[in-house]
Amino acid sequence: RQGMSVRENMILLRRLAANETELHHRAEHDPLTDLNNRSSFIRFVDEHLASAPPDRLCAVMFVDLDDFKHINDSMGHAMGDQAIVAVGERLKSCMRDHDLVARLGGDEFAVFLTRLPNVGQMVTIAERLIETLNEPFQSSDMRASVCGTIGVAIAEPGDDAGELLRRADIAMYAAKARGKGLFGIFEPSMHVAMYAPLERRADLERAAEDEEFTLHFQPVVDVATREMVGVEALIRWAHPRLGLLGPIEFIDDLEKAGLMVKVGAWVMVESCRQTMRLRAGSHRELSVSVNVSSSQMQDAGFVSVVAGALTATGLPAAALVIELTESGSIGESEVVGLRLRQLRAMGVRVAIDDFGSGYSSFTYLRRLRVDILKIDKTFVDGLLAGGPGAALVEGMIGLGNSLGLLTVGEGVEEEEQHAALVRLGCMMAQGYLHGRPMPMDQLVLLQDADSVSYAPGVAAIG
Ligand code: C2E
Ligand code: CA
Ligand code: CA
């Protein structure tokens, strides 16, 4: 090494530097199009948002090619790649110097627009983009046409890149629902339900495979002492692009896709397993309530799913509550009656969920033996400010008592409602006042923080 000349040293250093620049470039760019990749896009947008002047608009556009899969399948991957490269070039050609174009993956691109004077300017750019994308491609030996759909999210104070991409993605799906080659601007009213059913199904199938579902647990407390006596398991979907979704956003689709039974079985085992952790740190016989849909109840394998979950996790049957919502199909079904008898014979308890909100609460009670009544939130809401609501809740609690059933007030948000439940003799309560649904890790931490009894006041933060 000593013998190396100054000149050789210089060459070596320069090569190293070039190598480093090259590596750096590769880490930030998509190899096919040489556009920025997802991670460098996100970093750029975050950095910009942190320092952007408040008087100028910024926006993220999510660009998705329509029917790209068709091009790929019918013309081959090489042609598909050519089209992707051409699309990237076209996007770039429409942009101003300070805008950033990135390829997120597959046929998805993102554009970050900065220093927009007004929304009108942004609309003009979006229209120009769509027009440019729609021009047919002329390659050496063939012609192809693609078109793209664009979703736009305008940045608001406090937004980050992830949030903007998520909103632009939702706006893109909403635009696709209206037709191809359109663009749409995100509005808060846009719901995930904008998904085309087929894409939703594929999405859900992947979620079931990749275990994107997760559970949150909400404390159920003793009304008199406010101590936690159990939890209710509530499903969530950690969607890779849309974030954490609640069950109203996907349960119906899960049913339609025929995946409820499968996912429901997972919920059953996982609820029992995670509750065992909570029970380990408690001197109480904490129970777990699991929501079960009518399709699960109709399924021939249901009783063995429950039995299997108990055996596999070691949770005592008496610590499991199955929650059923009132619906004609459940109340009238002989099979469901039989299954419930089998479950109760094992020691599992059964609760009627949302009691009072279904269409035939009494038929239900007459035909099915149950253990717990969960009084629907709408009635608990009626406990505020001395309306006629209290009489209804009092009637339900009285009914429960005379049938020997436990009663739970649901959706308790105010101290005033809790006080009314105490007065009316309701036994248990559940609601944001006592604790929000949260991951089991968090609940276990809260429990450890107060190992003598569970501290409801703290949990309300979650
Ligand atoms: P639910 O069984 O009536 O569950 C209670 C719902 O009320 C939960 O909503 C909970 O987050 C919410 N909640 C609890 N306390 C309060 C409160 O004080 N105020 C307000 N405003 N809301 C409160 P979530 O988690 O969105 O679940 C919605 C419904 O989805 C559940 O209603 C249940 O019917 C269904 N669901 C949840 N998990 C599952 C599951 O694993 N399987 C099935 N089949 N259905 C599920
Ligand atoms: Ca429930
Ligand atoms: Ca309920």
Side-chain angles (χ1 to χ4, degrees):
R1 182 166 302 173
Q2 277 173 345
M4 220 187 252
S5 71
V6 174
R7 205 182 110 78
E8 278 170 330
N9 251 325
M10 289 288 289
I11 291 172
L12 195 62
L13 279 176
R14 217 175 283 145
R15 258 198 223 139
L16 278 175
N19 246 334
E20 203 172 302
T21 318
E22 160 74 15
L23 282 177
H24 184 73
H25 184 90
R26 264 197 250 165
E28 303 225 300
H29 292 78
D30 163 53
L32 179 63
T33 58
D34 206 39
L35 295 171
N36 281 75
N37 59 23
R38 179 188 283 265
S39 62
S40 65
F41 180 79
I42 286 180
R43 190 154 30 75
F44 181 87
V45 173
D46 278 338
E47 275 165 16
H48 186 91
L49 289 175
S51 61
D55 57 330
R56 288 296 189 86
L57 287 175
C58 307
V60 164
M61 289 183 171
F62 194 108
V63 183
D64 186 87
L65 302 185
D66 302 317
D67 302 324
F68 181 69
K69 197 176 147 9
H70 176 74
I71 296 187
N72 237 349
D73 291 349
S74 61
M75 305 191 184
H77 282 274
M79 186 64 193
D81 281 357
Q82 273 188 44
I84 291 286
V85 171
V87 166
E89 276 161 9
R90 286 182 183 191
L91 287 175
K92 265 197 120 144
S93 71
C94 295
M95 291 301 129
R96 302 158 304 160
D97 286 344
H98 45 81
D99 298 329
L100 185 72
V101 183
R103 180 176 178 219
L104 301 177
D107 58 346
E108 293 174 350
F109 297 83
V111 179
F112 183 50
L113 301 169
T114 54
R115 294 192 235 159
L116 290 163
N118 49 44
V119 176
Q121 172 88 56
M122 188 213 63
V123 170
T124 309
I125 296 177
E127 280 168 346
R128 198 167 66 216
L129 275 183
I130 299 245
E131 222 167 87
T132 317
L133 284 180
N134 289 358
E135 282 161 27
F137 288 100
Q138 199 73 53
S139 93
S140 48
D141 48 350
M142 54 177 70
R143 243 172 89 99
S145 61
V146 295
C147 62
T149 302
I150 298 179
V152 187
I154 298 169
E156 281 169 37
D159 280 344
D160 63 15
E163 181 57 33
L164 282 172
L165 269 177
R166 178 179 118 92
R167 283 199 235 124
D169 190 13
I170 293 174
M172 188 276 293
Y173 270 104
K176 262 200 185 171
R178 289 186 285 122
K180 286 172 190 163
L182 299 173
F183 82 95
I185 303 177
F186 176 83
E187 290 163 29
S189 65
M190 281 178 180
H191 199 250
V192 188
M194 299 287 190
Y195 265 118
L198 268 179
E199 310 205 29
R200 203 72 217 281
R201 175 183 302 249
D203 221 15
L204 283 164
E205 273 166 6
R206 187 207 60 233
E209 283 311 313
D210 297 356
E211 301 184 351
E212 288 171 11
F213 295 108
T214 123
L215 296 177
H216 279 189
F217 294 84
Q218 184 177 34
V220 179
V221 304
D222 181 321
V223 163
T225 65
R226 295 186 174 222
E227 270 189 298
M228 177 165 64
V229 292
V231 291
E232 175 172 0
L234 297 158
I235 192 169
R236 302 286 180 264
W237 179 6
H239 192 287
R241 281 189 319 231
L242 304 174
L244 199 64
L245 305 179
I248 23 167
E249 298 190 85
F250 62 86
I251 284 273
D252 282 352
D253 293 334
L254 214 48
E255 292 279 4
K256 279 187 213 130
L259 291 165
M260 192 64 237
V261 168
K262 179 178 172 188
V263 175
W266 173 84
V267 170
M268 186 62 67
V269 179
E270 199 57 21
S271 302
C272 296
R273 193 179 66 76
Q274 297 202 35
T275 304
M276 285 299 283
R277 280 182 61 203
L278 195 65
R279 284 168 60 90
S282 168
H283 61 285
R284 289 179 160 272
E285 287 292 319
L286 298 177
S287 61
V288 60
S289 297
V290 179
N291 294 286
V292 171
S293 76
S294 81
S295 65
Q296 289 172 269
M297 284 305 297
Q298 314 281 347
D299 183 64
F302 184 65
V303 175
S304 58
V305 164
V306 174
L310 294 173
T311 318
T313 62
L315 186 84
L320 178 63
V321 178
I322 304 268
E323 293 198 1
L324 303 175
T325 41
E326 310 167 83
S327 84
S329 63
I330 283 202
E332 256 112 71
S333 158
E334 293 297 328
V335 191
V336 171
L338 172 71
R339 296 226 166 92
L340 288 183
R341 281 195 294 281
Q342 290 174 324
L343 289 168
R344 293 186 75 246
M346 286 160 48
V348 173
R349 287 178 295 163
V350 177
I352 299 190
D353 207 353
D354 309 334
F355 185 70
S357 69
Y359 84 112
S360 62
S361 311
F362 292 103
T363 317
Y364 215 83
L365 279 180
R366 188 162 50 82
R367 296 183 67 114
L368 301 174
R369 286 283 293 136
V370 301
D371 307 272
I372 298 168
L373 290 188
K374 296 192 80 171
I375 300 167
D376 191 65
K377 179 177 185 335
T378 49
F379 299 101
V380 173
D381 286 345
L383 288 173
L384 286 174
L392 278 174
V393 174
E394 191 172 11
M396 292 183 197
I397 294 169
L399 178 69
N401 285 341
S402 59
L403 293 171
L405 309 178
L406 286 174
T407 44
V408 185
E410 283 197 293
V412 181
E413 292 177 354
E414 313 278 344
E415 282 295 344
E416 198 182 336
Q417 295 169 324
H418 186 85
L421 291 177
V422 173
R423 205 168 52 242
L424 298 172
C426 188
M427 294 167 199
M428 296 188 284
Q430 186 179 346
Y432 294 170
L433 178 68
H434 301 293
R436 293 198 173 236
M438 59 188 113
M440 186 55 89
D441 283 346
Q442 215 173 318
L443 202 50
V444 167
L445 279 178
L446 280 171
Q447 191 187 38
D448 289 350
D450 182 3
S451 56
V452 185
S453 76
Y454 167 78
V458 188
I461 303 164

